[in-house]
Every structure is written in C-alpha cells, then in structure tokens.
C-alpha cells in the first residue's frame, strides 16, 4: 500500500494544504491543457519531486507507475478501439498518465489523516469527517480479520474448487458482518465509558506553512500555464 | 489501414489477456475524463450526496452507536470491495458491494458509505482518482445502489423468492454501474463516425467481457452471504432495517 510511504517520506512535515495545492493545480493544468509538452513536463516534475524531494524508493515508484501503465494503456486502447485517431488516443494516454502522476504524488506523501484535517477545514460536514475517521481505522482492523479468516479457511481446504470457494467466501463475508456489529458494540461501550457524546475530538498535528513552498508551486503553475499557451 | 487493423486486433487480445487478471470494479481511472466532464459529474452527484448526508445526520442525531456502526459499515464496504471473487476462468475479480450495501443500508445511506469507500479506494489502493471521483460516485454509489434497492423491493413486493430478489438486485446493481460507466465514457469520447450510440455500444461490448462474469459471481456470493446473515444475524438485520425507515 502506498499509504506506508505517506507516513515516512521526506515531505511528511510539509503542510498538507501545500501538497494538495501542488497536486491538484498540476492535475487541473494537465486536464485542461492541449499541449503534449505540458503533459510530459508534469510527468517529469512529479517523478522528480517524488524521487528526489520525498525520497520514495525508485523501485516502488516504478512498480506503481508500471501497474498504472497497464490500466492506462488498456483504457486508452479501449477509447481508441474502432477509431482512426491514434494521435488522439496517445494524447489521452499521456493526459491520464500526467494526472495519475499528480495523484500518486499526493497519496505517496500525504497520509489520509492529514487529508481529513484539510477536509475539516474546508467545512465538509462533521458527520462525514467522523465517519471517514472511523472507516479509516476499521479498514485495517477488518482487513486483518478477513486475512486471518481466509488463511484459516484455506488451511482447511476451504478454497479448494469453485463451489467450496464460494461457500467459504460467503461465510467469510457474513462473519465479517457479525464481527462488525460486535466491534461497534465494544467501541460504543469503550467510548461511552470515556464520556463520548457523539463527537470524537483528536489533537491535530501542527504544520508550518512555508512561503517558499507556496512561491515555488505558484511559479511552477505559472510556467506550465505559460508553456501551454505558447 | 492495415497497421490500424493490426493495432485493433492487438488491443482486443491485450484486453482479453490482461483485464480479467485485474478486473477491478468499474472505476474510471484518474485523468481519463476531460476537465468539463469531471466537473459535470461532480455537479450531478452533489445533490444525491447532500441528501445522503442529511439522512445520515438525521439517523445518527440521537443515536451515537448507530454513527459508530455506519463508520464501521464504510470499512466493511471497502474490505468487501478489496476481496477477490473466485471465478471460473481461474482469475479473480473484485465485487463492488453495491448490491449488498443497498439492500442492507438503503440507497441514500449507501451513497454516503459508497462515497467514503471510493475515497479510500483512491487513497489506499490508487484506484480511481480525484478528478473522476464525481463520475465514479454517480455510477457506483448512486445509480448502482438505486437500481439494486428498487429492484429488491419490487421483487419482494411481487413475492419472488428471497434468494432471487437478492441475486437480481446484486447482479443488476453491478450491471447498472457498468452501463452508466460506459455511458459516461461514451459521452466524453463520442465516436467520430456515428457519435454517441456507436461509442456507447463499443464501451458496452469491451467491458462486457469482464463485467458480466463479475456481476454474476458477485450475485452468487451475495445470495450466500444473505442466507448466512438471515440464518445467523436476523436481529442485526432487523436493527439496520428498523433504523433505516
């Protein structure tokens, strides 16, 4: 999971708003731009930032990019299929790749919890933020449970043959559903005993805004827009 | 022209070989829609999202436990969609969880939970992305669940056997998602010769290869899950249904 690097990369302490602004502005430029050069520049800039500033291991980045490559290739092939416009398909391919580079920069450098704090700031309803926080936490709990159950089932030949596989998976999903209810019960008891009244308040990590970063991002944006209009 | 034919043939072969291995539910990948269409689908999805949020707020106002439960349901939907359904071809594919979610939680709550699950699929699994989020929410968290929910209730009303209602709701919920996604793609990329209809049929045929087996596989799975649930956790199901209405 790319999330592992989000918590441990060299850009971890950069303000999440700056990272979001960088990622989304370049993404918007790639989606609007009609210049192939701009798309290539976005791909190169993002790769450079991820590899040299965030210091994500090149091997991992390459792995992510190559699996994205398969999807993007198939997607643009599907769009181009039956059409004569190969240049158009090439363009769609690079546009998607540029946007994906921007998105991967974000998920490799910014943990989901930092993104929530930004969502809270832009006044996404509190209920949604809380549900997201709970979902985030329990995704990993349930993944773990489902993984263990699956291992236990396969060690008893539960996934031997198609019929058994379906039966085993049906049991897995329904037992997960029951576990979910029990977890909610336990969590409710635990929280209520600590004075829970329907609101989960947690300390936010402090971030410093950096004028240099904002300036650098703005300059890159302006240069790309300028390059695109020429 | 010959070269083009060759490329087309290669494309079909590549689609057949590669796609079943990684047949994720129908996400439109990041960057595939032009800017204007991204914005359009955000605008279309927004009222449904707002309605869903209002419903969730109403449900959880004086029931703090239900709020926790809904948060956990979001995680459940995510984990379900990250599982692999065993399929006949020996490859695997992922369920959408659309049908089960819509039957259990109702379409408006499912819109919110599905939207949250989609967000995490982007952040944690790198599937979908921010620019196509609106379009994906519309196909997977709005259109799919609505079809599932209405079909399920219609069949129940018509006294169809329970397994049949669950199966059809799940299969057609998946298929609705796939049809809507194909439509979204054909709107953004109409064919130069023949326009919208031609490209719509084109996308439908290309995705049919992977999506129809996934839908049927998920249908069978959800029927099994629903059987186990009615046998073992009737009370929990009642609790969800009671709080829903």
């Amino acid at each position: 999971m790319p999330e592992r690097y989000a918590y441990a990369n060299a850009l971890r302490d950069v303000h999440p708003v700056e990272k979001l602004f960088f990622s989304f502005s370049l993404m918007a430029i790639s989606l609007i731009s009609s210049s192939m050069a701009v798309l290539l520049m976005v791909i190169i800039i993002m790769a450079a930032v991820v590899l040299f500033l965030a210091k994500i291991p090149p091997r991992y980045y390459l792995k992510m990019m190559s699996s994205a490559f398969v999807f993007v290739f198939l997607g643009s092939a599907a769009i181009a299929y039956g059409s004569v416009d190969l240049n158009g398909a090439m363009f769609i391919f690079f546009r998607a790749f540029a946007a994906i580079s921007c998105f991967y920069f974000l998920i490799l450098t910014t943990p989901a919890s930092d993104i929530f704090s930004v969502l809270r700031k832009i006044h996404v309803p509190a209920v949604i933020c809380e549900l997201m926080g709970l979902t985030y936490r329990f995704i990993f709990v349930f993944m773990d449970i489902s993984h263990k159950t699956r291992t236990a089932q396969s060690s008893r030949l539960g996934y031997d043959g198609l019929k058994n596989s379906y039966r085993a998976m049906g049991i897995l999903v329904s037992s997960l559903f029951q576990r979910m209810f029990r977890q909610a019960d336990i969590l409710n008891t635990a929280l209520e005993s600590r004075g829970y009244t329907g609101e989960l308040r947690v300390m936010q990590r402090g971030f410093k805004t950096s004028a240099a970063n904002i300036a650098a991002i703005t300059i890159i944006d302006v240069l790309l827009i300028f390059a695109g209009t020429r | 022209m010959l070269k083009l034919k060759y490329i087309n043939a290669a494309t079909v072969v590549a689609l057949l070989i590669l796609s079943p291995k990684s047949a994720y539910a129908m996400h439109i990948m990041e960057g595939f829609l032009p800017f204007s269409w991204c914005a359009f689908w955000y605008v279309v999805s927004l009222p449904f999202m707002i309605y869903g949020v209002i419903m969730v707020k109403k449900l959880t106002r004086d029931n703090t436990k239900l709020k926790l439960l809904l948060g956990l349901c979001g995680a459940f939907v995510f984990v379900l969609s990250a599982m692999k359904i065993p399929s006949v071809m020996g490859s695997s594919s992922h369920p959408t969880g659309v049908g089960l979610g819509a039957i259990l939680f109702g379409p408006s709550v499912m819109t919110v939970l599905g939207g949250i699950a989609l967000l995490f699929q982007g952040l944690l699994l790198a599937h979908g992305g921010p620019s196509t989020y609106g379009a994906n929410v519309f196909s997977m968290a709005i259109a799919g669940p609505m079809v599932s929910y209405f079909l399920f209730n219609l069949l129940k009303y018509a006294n169809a056997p329970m397994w049949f209602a669950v199966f059809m709701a799940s299969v057609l919920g998946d298929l609705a998602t796939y049809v809507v996604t194909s439509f979204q793609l054909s709107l953004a990329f109409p064919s130069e010769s023949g326009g919208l209809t031609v490209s719509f049929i084109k996308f439908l045929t290309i995705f049919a290869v992977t999506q129809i087996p996934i839908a049927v596989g998920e249908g069978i799975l959800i029927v099994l899950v629903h059987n186990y649930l009615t046998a073992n956790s009737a009370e929990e199901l009642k609790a969800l249904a009671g709080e829903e209405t």
Side-chain angles (χ1 to χ4, degrees):
Chain A
M1 276 194 186
E3 173 86 337
R4 191 162 64 123
Y5 292 100
Y7 280 99
N9 68 84
L11 295 178
R12 172 72 176 89
D13 290 322
V14 173
H15 201 291
V17 173
E18 287 163 21
K19 287 186 278 195
L20 270 166
F21 174 51
F22 182 53
S23 169
F24 281 14
S25 61
L26 261 66
M27 193 183 279
I29 290 170
S30 325
L31 289 177
I32 295 169
S33 167
S34 54
S35 141
M36 190 71 112
V38 169
L39 298 180
L40 289 173
M41 273 191 267
V42 169
I43 295 172
I44 293 166
I45 291 170
M46 281 301 172
V49 172
V50 166
L51 295 176
F52 299 119
L53 296 181
K55 300 209 166 60
I56 303 294
R59 184 193 284 264
Y60 186 77
Y61 190 61
L62 213 64
K63 215 177 93 192
M64 267 184 96
M65 278 312 203
S66 53
S67 71
F69 179 85
V70 174
F71 276 105
V72 179
F73 179 78
L74 288 174
S76 28
I79 289 166
Y81 178 64
S83 134
V84 203
D85 187 14
L86 273 182
N87 281 337
M90 278 277 278
F91 185 75
I92 292 166
F93 174 85
F94 279 103
R95 188 178 65 195
F97 223 79
I100 284 171
S101 307
C102 300
F103 183 45
Y104 282 7
F105 158 79
L106 185 71
I107 57 180
L108 282 168
T109 59
T110 319
S113 53
D114 289 357
I115 294 176
F116 299 156
S117 68
V118 177
L119 289 179
R120 210 165 282 142
K121 254 180 227 150
I122 59 169
H123 299 291
V124 170
V127 195
I128 298 301
C129 293
E130 271 166 43
L131 288 183
M132 277 196 301
L134 284 165
T135 300
Y136 184 48
R137 164 81 186 105
F138 279 92
I139 278 172
F140 297 99
V141 176
F142 291 162
M143 289 270 247
D144 189 43
I145 294 174
S146 113
H147 184 74
K148 279 178 186 155
T149 312
R150 210 182 171 104
T151 310
Q153 285 177 320
S154 20
S155 69
R156 290 165 182 77
L157 300 181
Y159 291 89
D160 178 45
L162 199 64
K163 207 180 149 199
N164 279 334
S165 303
Y166 270 99
R167 211 173 76 89
M169 233 187 124
I171 296 173
L172 170 63
V173 174
S174 52
S175 75
L176 199 64
F177 182 80
Q178 285 165 309
R179 282 292 275 272
M180 179 181 84
F181 269 89
R182 215 166 53 217
Q183 281 288 350
D185 245 345
I186 296 169
L187 187 67
N188 190 47
T189 313
L191 284 172
E192 266 186 352
S193 66
R194 287 163 181 80
Y196 173 66
T197 53
E199 214 180 341
L200 289 169
R201 290 229 159 245
V202 272
M203 277 268 281
Q204 291 301 322
R205 200 187 157 97
F207 286 101
K208 278 198 195 90
T209 43
S210 142
N213 281 346
I214 296 170
I217 295 166
T218 317
I219 290 169
I220 292 173
D221 284 351
V222 171
L223 284 178
L224 280 174
I225 292 167
F226 184 68
T229 48
R230 268 190 57 216
Chain B
M1 220 42 213
L2 190 73
K3 199 179 156 202
L4 194 70
K5 250 185 203 155
Y6 174 74
I7 291 169
N8 279 349
T11 312
V12 174
V13 172
L15 281 171
L16 287 177
I17 295 171
L18 289 167
S19 48
K21 273 188 195 155
S22 49
Y24 245 93
M26 292 293 293
H27 289 94
I28 298 181
M29 240 195 143
E30 176 55 40
F32 262 110
L33 293 182
F35 191 78
S36 48
W37 284 110
C38 298
F40 176 79
W41 290 110
Y42 263 100
V43 172
V44 171
S45 297
L46 198 65
F48 293 94
M49 261 300 187
I50 292 173
Y51 181 71
V53 171
I54 292 171
M55 286 302 285
V56 168
K57 255 190 193 160
K58 221 159 110 189
L59 284 173
T60 58
R61 186 170 298 143
D62 20 52
N63 190 343
T64 55
K65 200 185 141 193
L66 186 62
K67 196 197 275 178
L68 298 177
L69 188 61
L70 284 180
L72 268 60
C73 286
F76 176 74
V77 172
F78 175 92
V79 172
L80 184 65
S81 73
M83 279 180 184
K84 288 177 182 144
I85 306 183
S87 86
V88 201
M89 286 116 93
S91 59
S92 59
S93 51
H94 298 264
T96 56
V98 159
L100 186 66
I103 293 170
L104 294 179
F105 317 126
S108 55
V109 173
M110 186 54 201
T111 300
V112 177
L113 296 183
I116 293 177
L118 272 170
L119 185 87
F120 283 108
Q121 280 164 2
L123 290 176
L124 303 178
L125 303 173
H127 283 281
S131 75
T132 53
Y133 181 74
N136 287 330
V137 163
F138 186 76
S139 69
M140 300 223 283
I142 296 170
M146 274 201 188
V147 168
S148 291
Y149 183 77
F150 287 115
L151 205 70
F152 178 69
N153 283 309
L154 193 76
L155 287 171
K156 232 172 54 178
Y157 181 73
N159 274 328
M162 193 54 142
W163 70 265
F164 183 70
V166 173
F167 181 76
M168 289 313 278
S170 174
V171 170
L172 288 176
D174 272 12
L175 291 183
T177 301
Y178 136 74
V179 170
V180 169
T181 309
S182 302
F183 186 63
Q184 287 169 331
L185 283 172
S186 58
L187 274 177
F189 303 104
S191 149
E192 304 104 73
S193 54
L196 191 67
T197 341
V198 170
S199 58
F200 183 42
I201 292 167
K202 178 187 84 177
F203 286 119
L204 280 178
T205 6
I206 290 177
F207 293 130
V209 180
T210 55
Q211 293 306 311
I212 290 175
I214 291 183
V216 174
E218 183 171 352
I220 297 170
L221 179 71
I222 299 306
V223 169
L224 289 171
V225 170
H226 198 267
N227 283 349
Y228 289 122
L229 287 181
T230 38
N232 299 320
S233 22
E235 265 173 49
E236 281 94 335
L237 285 184
K238 243 184 254 160
L240 268 186
E243 280 146 359
E244 196 53 68
T245 44

